[in-house]
C-alpha cells in the first residue's frame, strides 16, 4: 500500500509537531521552506529531521508550487506558512498579506487549474472573529480590529470559502492560543514559566484578560483527525479559559515563590481593542468528540505545569 503523502507549507512549530504526528502514522511528510540551508531546529528538537524531506519553495512563485504538487502528488496540503505576529504585522503589512493571502491564492489557483481533489488546509486565527458573550464560533462576525495580520487572515478565510464553491476540498483550520516549549521566549506563558523557573521578575501587560490555551500535541492530534472529515471550516481549541494572573500565580507557585513579588505591569504590552474574553466555544470540538471520541487533555493549570517542566 502506498503511503499517504502530506505536504506542509512552512517549517514552523505547528508544522514540526504535525510532521511528528503524521510520521507516527507511517505517512510521508514533505516540508517546504524559503531556504533549505537553514538549521531546522524544531525538527531536531523532535528528533525527526532525518525522516522529513525538505524542499525549497517560494509561495509567490506559481511555477514552483505547480512543480512541487506534481512531483509529490500529495493527498493533503497544510498551509502553515505566513507572518504570524500581530505586533510585527503592523510594520510588515505587505509581507503579512503576501505570505497569507497571495500564497494561499496561488495554491488554490494551481489546484483548480489541475482539477485536483487534494485536501487543502489553511491555518487561521480565532482573532479574526468578534466573540459572542466571550465565545468564538463560526457564526461570529468578523472582528473590527484593523491589525494587518487579522485583516489578512480574514481575507484568506473568505478566499477559502469562495474557492470551495469550485468543488475544491478546502478547509480553514482556526486556532486559539497554541503552546509548546518551542514557542519563542517572549510568548506570554513561556516567558512567565522561564521567569518562575529562574526566580526572576518579569514585566507583563494586561493580566485581566482570559484566553483559550491548547497544548501543541493535543492540537496536532485534533488536526489529523479533522483532516479526515468533510472539507469545511473548523475551530480547534481546548475551549477552556485561563487569565493572565492565574498563569503567573500557577507558574511561580510551582517554584514555591510568592508570585506577587515577581511581576510588574507595563502599558506598552497592552493591545488596542483587546477583548477581555476570547475563548473557543466547547461546541467547536463536537466533531472530534462525536466522530473520534477525542478530547483535549492538557489545558489550564495542567498546561502551565507542562510548560514549566519542559523548560
Amino acid at each position: 500500500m502506498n503511503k499517504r503523502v502530506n505536504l506542509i507549507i512552512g517549517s514552523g512549530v505547528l508544522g514540526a509537531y504535525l510532521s511528528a504526528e503524521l510520521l507516527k502514522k507511517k505517512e510521508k511528510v514533505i516540508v517546504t521552506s524559503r531556504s533549505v540551508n537553514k538549521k531546522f531546529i524544531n525538527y531536531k528538537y523532535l528528533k525527526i529531521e532525518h525522516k522529513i524531506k525538505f524542499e525549497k519553495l517560494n509561495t509567490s512563485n506559481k511555477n514552483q508550487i505547480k512543480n512541487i504538487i506534481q512531483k509529490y502528488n500529495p493527498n493533503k496540503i497544510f498551509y502553515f506558512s505566513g507572518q504570524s505576529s500581530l505586533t510585527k504585522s503592523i510594520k510588515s503589512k505587505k509581507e503579512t498579506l503576501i505570505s497569507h493571502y497571495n500564497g494561499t491564492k496561488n495554491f488554490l489557483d494551481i489546484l483548480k487549474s489541475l482539477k485536483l481533489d487534494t485536501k487543502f488546509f489553511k491555518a487561521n486565527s480565532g482573532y479574526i472573529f468578534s466573540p459572542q458573550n466571550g465565545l468564538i464560533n463560526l457564526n461570529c462576525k468578523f472582528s473590527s480590529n484593523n491589525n494587518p495580520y487579522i485583516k489578512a487572515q480574514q481575507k484568506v478565510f473568505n478566499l477559502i470559502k469562495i474557492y470551495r464553491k469550485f468543488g475544491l476540498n478546502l478547509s480553514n483550520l482556526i486556532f486559539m492560543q497554541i503552546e509548546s516549549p518551542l514557542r519563542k521566549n517572549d510568548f506570554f506563558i513561556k516567558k512567565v514559566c522561564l521567569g518562575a523557573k529562574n526566580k526572576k521578575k518579569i514585566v507583563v501587560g494586561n493580566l485581566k484578560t482570559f484566553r483559550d490555551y491548547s497544548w501543541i500535541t493535543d492540537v496536532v492530534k485534533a488536526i489529523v483527525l479533522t483532516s479526515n472529515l468533510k472539507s469545511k471550516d473548523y475551530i480547534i481549541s481546548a475551549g477552556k479559559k485561563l487569565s493572565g494572573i492565574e498563569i503567573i500565580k500557577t507558574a511561580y507557585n510551582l517554584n514555591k515563590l510568592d508570585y506577587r513579588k515577581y511581576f510588574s505591569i507595563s502599558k506598552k504590552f497592552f493591545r488596542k481593542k483587546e477583548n477581555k474574553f476570547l475563548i473557543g466555544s466547547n461546541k467547536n470540538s463536537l466533531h472530534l468528540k462525536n466522530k473520534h471520541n477525542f478530547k483535549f487533555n492538557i489545558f489550564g493549570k495542567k498546561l502551565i505545569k507542562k510548560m514549566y517542566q519542559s523548560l
Side-chain angles (χ1 to χ4, degrees), residues 112-125:
K112 183 173 177 286
S113 67
L114 295 177
K115 299 180 180 179
L116 298 176
D117 61 357
T118 306
K119 282 192 168 186
F120 181 93
F121 304 89
K122 174 65 176 76
N124 211 312
S125 168

Side-chain angles (χ1 to χ4, degrees), residues 155-188:
K155 286 192 68 174
V156 172
F157 182 86
N158 284 332
L159 183 71
I160 293 289
K161 284 182 169 293
I162 291 169
Y163 272 70
R164 197 156 55 215
K165 294 178 181 178
F166 297 129
L168 299 177
N169 291 319
L170 314 176
S171 297
N172 284 295
L173 298 181
I174 299 136
F175 305 103
M176 304 305 287
Q177 310 287 122
I178 304 175
E179 299 301 320
S180 86
L182 291 178
R183 277 287 209 181
K184 292 181 179 179
N185 291 348
D186 59 349
F187 277 80
F188 184 66

Side-chain angles (χ1 to χ4, degrees), residues 295-311:
K295 63 179 181 179
F296 287 82
N297 291 309
I298 303 172
F299 51 83
K301 292 182 179 180
K302 188 176 180 180
L303 184 148
I304 307 305
K305 186 176 181 180
K306 184 81 171 177
M307 179 68 84
Y308 182 91
Q309 292 176 339
S310 70
L311 301 177

Side-chain angles (χ1 to χ4, degrees), residues 262-282:
Y262 284 91
F263 75 91
S264 60
I265 294 175
S266 172
K267 291 287 185 180
K268 74 176 185 178
F269 291 116
F270 280 56
R271 289 176 177 170
K272 294 180 179 179
K273 297 183 180 180
E274 188 169 33
N275 292 296
K276 183 174 182 179
F277 294 93
L278 203 61
I279 317 297
S281 169
N282 288 326

